[in-house]
Amino acid sequence: MDEELNLVTEWLLSASSEIPAEYFQLPVAGAEEPQYRERVYCYELYHRWRNRWPDGFPFSLSGEVDKQGHRLVRGGWKPDFLVHVPGRMSNLLIVEVKPANAEPARMADDLKKLTHFRRELRDQYGNPGNYRGAYLWIYGLRAAEWPGLRAEVLGSLHGDPQFDRDLVSCIIHETAQARATPAPWG
């Protein structure tokens, strides 16, 4: 599955370079400055990413699958993106997206959720159904600002064992029409 994870990650990073400015920050009538609108950004990223999917690829891309009431998944989560085989616990990648102006505590909560999906998810028979990869995707953040935000986000966790930096990667998409890049945990 590592080969498939590398492929979908490359498609995702490549797709990020095509996001136009009006999807990155939405112009709003009556406002001087455009605003981050996570759903608008995610829908465009999904569209660009999905266009790279070849016929016959064994995993599907899904957006905002509501896990509330799922008998195998505890918690009422709606991950922004899932790469999986629907109807089976064959999971590849889970992605949570946040704009740069999101509260660090919200990002910290996403890190705990992503760790949960990587570490603890099981199928109905008790077999690991966890995801091979998990990304916290932050858009609109300059790479130079990452160390400060990283410290705030990690500080919000207060050493919480529900987050494992070895299981979740961070990816930063700085600006429209630019390729997103992985960001180190430090």
Side-chain angles (χ1 to χ4, degrees):
M1 274 207 264
D2 288 338
E3 182 178 331
E4 289 94 346
L5 180 58
N6 290 337
L7 280 171
V8 298
T9 298
E10 176 53 34
W11 300 335
L12 174 58
L13 295 173
S14 177
S16 70
S17 68
E18 297 176 358
I19 305 293
E22 65 267 20
Y23 292 96
F24 209 84
Q25 285 189 300
L26 184 69
V28 177
E32 286 186 34
E33 297 294 322
Q35 298 175 7
Y36 290 110
R37 294 287 196 240
E38 185 179 320
R39 296 284 44 92
V40 171
Y41 174 87
C42 282
Y43 294 156
E44 184 64 10
L45 183 59
Y46 175 94
H47 166 70
R48 304 283 176 159
W49 190 11
R50 181 68 180 89
N51 281 338
R52 287 162 167 72
W53 231 258
D55 288 339
F57 191 70
F59 294 93
S60 295
L61 174 61
S62 297
E64 274 206 334
V65 176
D66 189 344
K67 296 295 186 177
Q68 188 166 350
H70 191 293
R71 61 188 192 88
L72 303 176
V73 180
R74 293 183 313 276
W77 299 321
K78 276 195 260 186
D80 291 309
F81 300 114
L82 298 177
V83 178
H84 63 148
V85 178
R88 296 191 6 223
M89 291 299 279
S90 183
N91 301 311
L92 188 64
L93 177 64
I94 184 168
V95 181
E96 282 288 345
V97 176
K98 288 290 176 272
N101 66 348
E103 291 294 321
R106 287 188 59 219
M107 292 181 192
D109 286 343
D110 281 349
L111 290 174
K112 291 186 277 189
K113 289 184 231 175
L114 291 167
T115 298
H116 171 80
F117 276 90
R118 285 287 321 271
R119 180 170 51 204
E120 298 174 21
L121 196 60
R122 302 276 183 230
D123 70 11
Q124 65 266 33
Y125 307 107
N127 300 314
N130 51 321
Y131 289 79
R132 296 288 303 148
Y135 301 150
L136 175 63
W137 183 280
I138 304 171
Y139 72 99
L141 183 73
R142 304 277 182 230
E145 297 169 327
W146 171 238
L149 179 59
R150 177 183 62 214
E152 286 184 64
V153 171
L154 294 176
S156 294
L157 289 164
H158 306 291
D160 191 323
Q162 293 181 58
F163 167 61
D164 184 339
R165 69 177 69 200
D166 293 330
L167 297 179
V168 181
S169 298
C170 184
I171 299 178
I172 295 174
H173 188 192
E174 287 191 53
T175 62
Q177 303 285 306
R179 185 180 170 98
T181 57
W185 284 117

